[in-house]
Amino acid sequence: MSKYSQERFDVLVVGGGPAGIAAAVRAAETGARVGIVDENPAPGGQIWRSSSSEGKHSAEALRWLERMKSSGVLLLCGKRVFHQPDSGILMAEGMDDVYELSYRSLILATGARERFLPFPGWTLPNVMGAGGLQAMVKSGLPVRGKRVVIAGTGPLLLAVASYLRKQGAGIPLICEQASGKKLARFVASLIRYPGKIVQSFALRKEIGGIPLATSSWPLAAHGHQELDAVTISRGGKLETIDCDYLACGFHLVPNTELPVLLGCRLRNGYVQVNDLQQTTVEQIFCVGEPTGIGGVDLALVEGQIAGLAATGKMNATREFLSKRKKFGQFARLLDETFCLRSELRSLPSPETLICRCEDVAYSRLREHTSWRAAKLHTRCGMGPCQGRICGPATQFLFKWTPDSVRPPVFPARVEDLAAQPQPISQVTGGEPQ
């Protein structure tokens, strides 16, 4: 039976990536009682995930992690928020425990995930997300001597290529679906962001010699028991490349399920916030990728604004507003450069699985006109991932919009779903404090 625990916070932060850490630190430094709940075993998110083989963080990450430690933020790692049983209360589940977390203000820093686009063979073993493969290598997966084709769109592809090369992988090709003209305009626009120019030159040096093909994407993955090769479209011509891994990532999708469950309004697919990062629900703030894919710089600025606003320090947020505007412009530049081209809608064959959880093929989904109809007739989106993979795919392929989020937002134990908020005295054996 799960151990039942209860915590009360002035400010609760969901998500322990850079945005969540910045928010928690700023709130805690005002004297508030602050907690971070995150499903990962350690704080940092994907951006600041430490490597078991390297055992180190970047200098910026170390500064924020040390600041968080000294600020007294309570970390609840390895816990996943799955339900809101009542206003001001969230339920979070660990391996063998369940937490009731109450709060006065809530800051959602739920991050983003990779977008997958289905194509023939994409379900083969060793075909995986670009960031997913990077995370697995950081956790100990050996890739030395392995051939890894990296495909999709966005700056993440280059970062993954750099990291995998350092771990001894061979990268025969990076396939970027955006055109060379768009990339050239993107690079030219970096003149307004000196820090980004430095990062881009350093990254380009790290991946020097790796071919980068623009207007290129995977058409099919081949293999029997696991991946052997991939066929790509490269400038309109077909090419088949032998490889051990195919790492795909078609930019990022914001994790908006929990905000939507809590009643927060979306705008253009992102959580709608005001100048103080407050959502359309009172005392609920949102920061980082759910408000727009903008990278770590924007996430840190938004986190600090929300942390201060959630504790009533409105005047202190002013110093961050111009920075947010600047990095917000960079976020829009990313969207414009790496928006998906229409040709990618023709990638699936009739037999290609779109919903891997429920084995729903592309041909079955074409019979329907909406996400709701597809769910009712095929169970698409009703498996363990709760539409996190097939939802964004169908949104792009068919221009459908998922229209509801129901608890639990993640699979949870039945006994934890049945748990109800309890008076503190029942949990601690003492009087409510």
Side-chain angles (χ1 to χ4, degrees):
M1 185 174 179
S2 299
K3 177 185 175 182
Y4 193 99
S5 301
Q6 191 176 47
E7 294 283 353
R8 281 183 172 179
F9 299 103
D10 297 313
V11 179
L12 174 63
V13 181
V14 180
I21 290 173
V25 166
R26 280 292 183 170
E29 288 177 346
T30 69
R33 186 167 196 268
V34 180
I36 292 180
V37 57
D38 188 88
E39 63 181 313
N40 295 300
Q46 179 65 16
I47 288 276
W48 288 346
R49 183 192 298 268
S50 74
S51 165
S52 58
S53 60
E54 293 175 293
K56 62 182 181 181
H57 286 286
S58 69
E60 182 178 43
L62 283 173
R63 284 194 298 271
W64 277 104
L65 290 168
E66 185 58 37
R67 196 169 166 184
M68 178 179 64
K69 183 178 179 181
S70 62
S71 70
V73 172
L74 177 63
L75 279 175
L76 296 173
C77 291
K79 320 295 180 189
R80 177 181 277 179
V81 172
F82 65 90
H83 185 33
Q84 181 198 37
D86 203 351
S87 178
I89 297 175
L90 294 179
M91 303 297 292
E93 182 183 74
M95 288 293 292
D96 56 4
D97 52 14
V98 61
Y99 276 79
E100 177 192 320
L101 307 173
S102 59
Y103 57 86
R104 290 196 180 101
S105 295
L106 178 67
I107 301 177
L108 301 173
T110 47
R113 59 188 183 273
E114 292 178 279
R115 178 189 279 112
F116 297 93
L117 295 185
F119 52 86
W122 78 295
T123 58
L124 276 172
N126 292 346
V127 179
M128 58 184 68
L133 177 58
Q134 182 183 38
M136 291 179 69
V137 174
K138 286 184 176 183
S139 298
L141 177 70
V143 291
R144 183 167 298 277
K146 302 294 186 181
R147 287 170 59 86
V148 184
V149 172
I150 300 175
T153 197
L156 177 63
L157 303 185
L158 306 185
V160 170
S162 171
Y163 180 80
L164 295 181
R165 171 185 263 189
K166 291 176 183 176
Q167 307 309 308
I171 315 294
L173 187 65
I174 301 172
C175 301
E176 167 59 64
Q177 63 91 41
S179 68
K181 188 178 294 186
K182 276 193 171 185
L183 288 187
R185 285 200 299 266
F186 176 76
V187 173
S189 298
L190 293 182
I191 192 68
R192 292 175 290 177
Y193 310 95
K196 300 293 183 185
I197 291 179
V198 173
Q199 293 173 16
S200 64
F201 274 117
L203 190 56
R204 190 61 195 171
K205 183 178 179 181
E206 292 171 2
I207 64 172
I210 299 177
L212 171 63
T214 58
S215 298
S216 177
W217 53 85
L219 292 176
H222 311 288
H224 296 289
Q225 298 301 317
E226 60 183 30
L227 177 72
D228 294 326
V230 58
T231 296
I232 64 167
S233 172
R234 184 175 185 177
K237 297 180 180 180
L238 303 189
E239 182 178 341
T240 298
I241 304 172
D242 293 336
C243 58
D244 301 295
Y245 290 96
L246 172 59
C248 291
F250 289 88
H251 210 26
L252 299 174
V253 179
N255 291 324
T256 59
E257 290 80 9
L258 182 57
V260 170
L261 179 69
L262 299 179
C264 303
R265 189 180 304 150
L266 301 185
R267 181 169 57 194
N268 299 324
Y270 297 109
V271 178
Q272 181 179 335
V273 294
N274 65 13
D275 288 344
L276 297 175
Q277 301 297 136
Q278 183 162 351
T279 70
T280 53
V281 179
E282 189 175 359
Q283 291 307 111
I284 297 182
F285 301 78
C286 191
V287 296
E289 313 295 39
T291 68
I293 308 300
V296 65
D297 294 320
L298 180 59
L300 288 171
V301 170
E302 290 184 348
Q304 293 180 79
I305 291 172
L308 291 167
T311 52
K313 308 297 182 182
M314 309 303 181
N315 291 336
T317 65
R318 292 175 183 171
E319 65 175 292
F320 300 103
L321 299 183
S322 61
K323 292 181 181 179
R324 183 180 58 189
K325 181 178 180 181
K326 178 181 178 180
F327 292 127
Q329 291 170 343
F330 180 73
R332 288 188 288 276
L333 178 62
L334 285 176
D335 276 342
E336 292 168 4
T337 303
F338 301 107
C339 63
L340 300 183
R341 57 202 302 156
S342 60
E343 295 98 314
L344 300 176
R345 291 194 173 92
S346 62
L347 288 181
S349 66
E351 298 79 21
T352 301
L353 291 182
I354 305 299
C355 177
R356 301 173 65 161
C357 297
E358 298 292 333
D359 291 337
V360 183
Y362 180 72
S363 58
R364 293 182 62 197
L365 294 179
R366 283 191 307 188
E367 301 171 1
H368 304 288
T369 58
S370 70
W371 172 251
R372 180 180 291 271
K375 285 182 71 173
L376 288 172
H377 291 91
T378 70
R379 290 188 54 82
C380 178
M382 297 180 70
C385 88
Q386 290 290 283
R388 284 173 171 78
I389 304 299
C390 59
T394 59
Q395 197 166 5
F396 174 70
L397 293 172
F398 305 112
K399 301 182 180 180
W400 293 345
T401 301
D403 52 9
S404 66
V405 175
R406 296 182 180 181
V409 289
F410 289 103
R413 293 184 291 267
V414 172
E415 62 187 270
D416 294 341
L417 288 172
Q420 295 295 320
Q422 303 177 32
I424 291 181
S425 58
Q426 291 184 19
V427 180
T428 64
E431 293 298 320
Q433 300 177 3

